[in-house]
Amino acid sequence: MASQRGEGETTATPLEPADRERARAIPEAAVARLAVYLRVLSGMADQGVTAVSSEELSQAAGVNAAKLRKDLSYIGSYGTRGVGYDVEVLVSHIERILGLTRNHSVAVVGIGNLGHALANYGGFPGRGFPVTALFDVDADLIGVPVGGIPVSHIDDITAVCLEREVSIGVIATPPPAAQSVCDRLVSAGVQCILNFAPVVLQVPDNVEVRKVDLAVEMQILSFHVARRADEAASVSAGIVSAGNNGLGVDGMVIRP
Amino acid sequence: MASQRGEGETTATPLEPADRERARAIPEAAVARLAVYLRVLSGMADQGVTAVSSEELSQAAGVNAAKLRKDLSYIGSYGTRGVGYDVEVLVSHIERILGLTRNHSVAVVGIGNLGHALANYGGFPGRGFPVTALFDVDADLIGVPVGGIPVSHIDDITAVCLEREVSIGVIATPPPAAQSVCDRLVSAGVQCILNFAPVVLQVPDNVEVRKVDLAVEMQILSFHVARRADEAASVSAGIVSAGNNGLGVDGMVIRP
DNA sequence: TACCGCTTGTGAACGCATGCACAAAGTCGG
DNA sequence: CCGACTTTGTGCATGCGTTCACAAGCGGTA
């Protein structure tokens, strides 16, 4: 772990003390939205847009305008009253806060269907996240290049991750292997993990895990399908909920 | 509340009037967790476990025990004080509330890397979500079976979706195509959409959209990497935040 | 320069979700 | 049958996040 990391100010990512305290205070939900704003803003910049108001940007991002302004205020005051925000300025500040000024090397573990898809994503979404290592257990895969990177054996995970300074590990293995893979990533010094396996990972406090769970997403949708179907049944039976929340009682269009 | 009124039990998905009102009231966050509990419980059932306490289950699911009990209370009182919960009973009640008693036919649009991976997921995570239709624009793909299902042309989306009673649409197209595909799905009567494209979709109120955004996930992780690196820098430079919020001043373990 | 209209930034209220703490309710042993 | 122990279900307080509403501030205009 004796790489560039240690000596604070000499490295890249120069975050001012004021920004540092701000970064600490940004709510997780706001961080997620900042990433969305960034994408929208980048798109605007590509189209030659130079300035934008909170109203326009919030619509494009699908959020409330006040919320957007508050989110932006977490990272500082970079707007101009009466005018709006400068797109370039906003982009660069959000990138800085999100730590996108530095590259984050990514390792994908588990080169099945999903692993292939991830490895081939090419430059990885939004760039700045180069995939530099792939791992699997299958002997037939070892050494085979996928998306330009040869697959390594999972037993070499520590050495390879350290060597290539992997900062984000992506777990795309079958469920039973996930915890073990996670442990290995952690002992290789990886502190951020994106988990696609439908498993609740146990990790030390200093490791950040985010999970993408297809089954859960599907089931949440299923819940809504069921709720809708059920409401429709109620309506067709002439039942109307007495305790209606104030969402507007207008006849929501429901197909027979 | 006048919950007795429910005379309309003639349709499928027999949700009691009492349950119906409960379903309406379950917080979204709790729904997501219920899906997780369900998976953990299913695993336990497979291993022959018949009873479980909130403490055990909450640990396995990685949540607070009180929160778990509250979540379960949203769907009714199916535990036994002094004993715990019957695994089978809990499983069946959660499945019922999540609408998993009925199959939800899934259509995948965009058969690129990700689309392939999704189509091949086989029975789809957690079963109950059969993929019954695939769509793309690429002429070379039309008719080719992927994961056992032949790919249809996207222009046939309305007819095919209606015919196969698709209730969930999955968008795995490149960003520029996403909104158009979404519109077509909606006009085909699909009311639930899972969106993998990094685009903010505009939909009518009666359509439920969930989005899985890799770029956003990566950037959130990046934010945490940056924050950590920065904290480490602060510590090594002997800087300690003065205006600390009351989170506890204990020295959080940070590796050198 | 002084005014006017527009948009930001934020204080304050509200609402939802989380976590605590305890009464209710059940089991088990004697 | 009773009392001790265990675990659920939930009222309540706390904290976080969202939303509203408005003062502050800036550019444009006369």
Side-chain angles (χ1 to χ4, degrees), chain A residues 91-108:
Chain A
V91 165
S92 74
H93 279 109
I94 296 178
E95 281 182 341
R96 187 173 45 80
I97 289 288
L98 292 184
L100 302 178
T101 49
R102 141 181 180 355
N103 265 13
H104 298 279
S105 174
V106 174
V108 177

Side-chain angles (χ1 to χ4, degrees), chain A residues 162-178:
Chain A
L162 288 175
E163 174 204 329
R164 302 185 194 171
E165 294 183 329
V166 168
S167 56
I168 298 178
V170 177
I171 298 179
T173 66

Side-chain angles (χ1 to χ4, degrees), chain A residues 11-256:
Chain A
T11 48
T13 328
L15 224 57
E16 302 290 314
D19 289 333
R20 196 178 292 139
E21 262 180 54
R22 283 210 192 86
R24 199 184 306 274
I26 303 179
E28 186 85 2
V31 174
R33 286 191 298 267
L34 282 173
V36 175
Y37 306 153
L38 178 59
R39 179 161 52 226
V40 174
L41 286 165
S42 299
M44 288 177 168
D46 289 348
Q47 289 177 13
V49 178
T50 59
V52 66
S53 72
S54 65
E55 185 60 37
E56 298 170 275
L57 183 52
S58 70
Q59 284 214 329
V63 304
N64 179 295
K67 193 192 293 186
L68 177 135
R69 288 200 299 274
K70 182 145 289 191
D71 288 344
L72 292 183
S73 80
Y74 289 130
I75 66 172
S77 297
Y78 302 114
T80 308
R81 291 168 193 237
V83 178
Y85 300 90
D86 182 285
V87 174
E88 295 287 352
V89 170
L90 220 45
V91 165
S92 74
H93 279 109
I94 296 178
E95 281 182 341
R96 187 173 45 80
I97 289 288
L98 292 184
L100 302 178
T101 49
R102 141 181 180 355
N103 265 13
H104 298 279
S105 174
V106 174
V108 177
V109 188
I111 311 302
N113 282 318
L114 182 56
H116 262 92
L118 293 172
N120 281 311
Y121 227 140
F124 232 79
R127 76 180 173 282
F129 297 97
V131 176
T132 59
L134 304 176
F135 299 97
D136 206 299
V137 279
D138 186 349
D140 292 346
L141 275 172
I142 311 300
V144 177
V146 177
I149 314 283
V151 177
S152 307
H153 193 279
I154 202 168
D155 288 342
D156 302 329
I157 203 169
T158 304
V160 174
C161 283
L162 288 175
E163 174 204 329
R164 302 185 194 171
E165 294 183 329
V166 168
S167 56
I168 298 178
V170 177
I171 298 179
T173 66
Q179 182 64 56
S180 150
V181 163
C182 175
D183 294 342
R184 297 205 214 186
L185 282 171
V186 169
S187 61
V190 175
Q191 295 201 341
C192 290
I193 290 176
L194 183 57
N195 178 30
F196 285 87
V199 173
V200 181
L201 294 178
Q202 311 290 338
V203 293
D205 288 347
N206 63 326
V207 175
E208 187 76 25
V209 175
R210 294 202 53 94
K211 109 185 162 182
V212 174
D213 195 323
L214 283 192
V216 168
E217 296 297 329
M218 298 301 278
Q219 288 173 12
I220 293 173
L221 287 174
S222 167
F223 170 78
H224 289 291
V225 175
R227 202 170 50 75
R228 275 175 216 288
D230 213 56
E231 272 170 16
S234 304
V235 171
S236 72
I239 303 170
V240 177
S241 164
N244 202 328
N245 44 19
L247 286 176
V249 201
D250 58 273
M252 188 184 280
V253 181
I254 298 173
R255 300 162 203 290

